[in-house]
Each structure stands twice: as C-alpha cells, then as structure tokens.
Amino acid sequence: GAVVSQHPSWVICKSGTSVKIECRSLDFQATTMFWYRQFPKQSLMLMATSNEGSKATYEQGVEKDKFLINHASLTLSTLTVTSAHPEDSSFYICSARDSALDRGRGYTFGSGTRLTVV
Amino acid sequence: AQSVTQLGSHVSVSEGALVLLRCNYSSSVPPYLFWYVQYPNQGLQLLLKYTTGATLVKGINGFEAEFKKSETSFHLTKPSAHMSDAAEYFCAVMRGDSWGKLQFGAGTQVVVTP
C-alpha cells in the first residue's frame, strides 16, 4: 500500500531558529501534498496545499512567510517553520495522494512531527 | 463550503459493546466521506470511505458506516468493541467536484472499558 514517510517524528528547537519537516511518498508519485496542524486534543487544520513545481496555496490566516513550503519533486514536500516561537509548538502532519489514482481513493498520511519550541 | 459535525467529543464503551460514532456533514455537491483513526502521536489511518455506489461501506478492523443522503449522515459503527479500538476518530468530507481538500470533524475520543 501507499506509504508516506514524515521526518523527523519529533524535534525540539530554540526560539528564533528554523525547523524543516520532510514529507516523502515512498512508493507513489504525488503532485499534491497537504500540510495540517493539530493542537492537543483538537482536530486537524489544513495549513496549505503543496503543488509540485509551483507555489503552495495557503489557507486563510496561515502566514506564508513563516511556514515555507517547497514541493520540488513528485515525491517530496518540505515544510520549514521559520523563526519558530513557542506558539508554533504543535503536531504537524502531511498527507499525499497518489497522482495515478482517482481522488476518491483518499489520502495517505504521514506519521506526524511533534514540534516543541523552547 | 462543506462542513463536518461529530456529535460527542468523548465516547466510553464497554469491551464487547456496540461502538457508534456520529457524523453529519453539509455539502452542496455529492461528497466523498471518510473515517480516519488516530493513535497517540501518530498520523491518521483510513478506516473506510464512501465515494459512490453502495451506501453501506465496510472498512478495516470490523468497522462499517452507512451513507444516508436524506439525513446527511455517515455514522461509524462496530458491533463489538475491542480494547485496541481506543483511539481518536475523525470524520472527514471531500467535495466530490474538486481535487479537494479534506475538511475534518472535531474528532471523537473513544475509551474502551473492560
């Protein structure tokens, strides 16, 4: 089955530094990937849609200069949290859809990244 | 725009009892509907989905859900709860007319008691 690898699974960083999270589709190509943010005991909130070879589309209220998304290949999207602050601490999850399958197949999710900014 | 409402943020069931998680949606076009399960500090795993065709959908781990258009519902059930079913469950809707993003419900935490 489709597998999405997300790395790192957890990271602790100092306030003001940047952190990069990778989302990789291992056995399929994904022209579109999605980045979600999940606060404790809450639902997933879509942050942005990552499109291979073009600019990401951000949801309303998400700072594009703070959350940089790069989708340089059909199997890799990265999310960089720039100048991180404690309020950016959260669980970040990516998802990807096999480009060769119809949209009804659903999306495969990565295992998530727990970011803690101290 | 579509939306998803999950009734009950917490559900406690006895082992062996029926599990019923409620999900109602709103969508101006025929939706694709999903149920996902999330274990602590992990991503989401697809339980089942409805796109077209048969309205009773069977998924993994003994779960099933029925799409009822007249009630705009997609409730998730399992006849007999197992301890391993303790997790967070999310209902999600994707618009049928786009490559679409998933809109998630608030989630329901299931606790299974011996």
Side-chain angles (χ1 to χ4, degrees):
Chain A
V3 177
V4 171
S5 174
Q6 189 172 339
H7 178 81
S9 55
W10 60 271
V11 58
I12 301 173
C13 71
K14 292 184 176 180
S15 187
T17 62
S18 295
V19 173
K20 179 183 286 187
I21 303 170
E22 291 188 351
C23 180
R24 198 179 295 271
S25 56
L26 297 186
D27 49 3
F28 64 96
Q29 293 184 333
T31 55
T32 303
M33 294 186 179
F34 298 89
W35 288 96
Y36 294 86
R37 182 173 181 176
Q38 185 180 30
F39 290 103
K41 300 191 183 302
Q42 294 188 28
S43 189
L44 283 75
M45 298 301 295
L46 180 65
M47 298 174 66
T49 304
S50 173
N51 303 297
E52 186 269 335
S54 65
K55 291 183 178 180
T57 305
Y58 290 82
E59 294 299 300
Q60 189 173 9
V62 177
E63 299 176 61
K64 60 182 67 176
D65 294 331
K66 180 166 190 63
F67 299 100
L68 300 180
I69 292 173
N70 186 3
H71 194 154
S73 78
L74 286 171
T75 60
L76 175 64
S77 175
T78 61
L79 168 68
T80 301
V81 182
T82 63
S83 186
H85 288 90
E87 58 265 29
D88 298 324
S89 298
S90 189
F91 194 56
Y92 294 87
I93 308 176
C94 70
S95 72
R97 183 184 61 81
D98 189 332
S99 303
L101 302 178
D102 69 85
R103 58 181 178 265
R105 297 294 182 100
Y107 295 75
T108 302
F109 284 80
S111 56
T113 297
R114 172 73 60 192
L115 170 63
T116 301
V117 184
V118 298
Chain B
Q2 66 271 29
S3 66
V4 181
T5 303
Q6 287 183 242
L7 293 178
S9 59
H10 285 81
V11 169
S12 181
V13 297
S14 300
E15 190 175 17
L18 172 71
V19 179
L20 171 60
L21 304 182
R22 299 179 186 275
C23 174
N24 288 87
Y25 70 91
S26 67
S27 178
S28 57
V29 297
Y32 291 174
L33 297 159
F34 304 84
W35 275 100
Y36 287 90
V37 61
Q38 184 182 35
Y39 297 97
N41 292 310
Q42 293 188 28
L44 274 68
Q45 181 182 11
L46 179 67
L47 281 176
L48 48 79
K49 63 183 184 291
Y50 169 79
T51 54
T52 58
T55 56
L56 182 61
V57 180
K58 294 185 183 300
I60 63 172
N61 302 341
F63 285 94
E64 63 181 39
E66 185 171 11
F67 170 62
K68 292 186 176 181
K69 185 178 179 180
S70 61
E71 299 178 8
T72 61
S73 68
F74 191 56
H75 302 331
L76 180 71
T77 61
K78 181 174 180 177
S80 177
H82 191 272
M83 296 300 289
S84 61
D85 294 326
E88 185 89 19
Y89 292 79
F90 292 98
C91 181
V93 61
M94 181 197 307
R95 281 177 59 127
D97 63 342
S98 73
W99 287 108
K101 312 160 186 177
L102 291 176
Q103 179 75 37
F104 286 90
T108 299
Q109 181 71 47
V110 172
V111 174
V112 182
T113 57

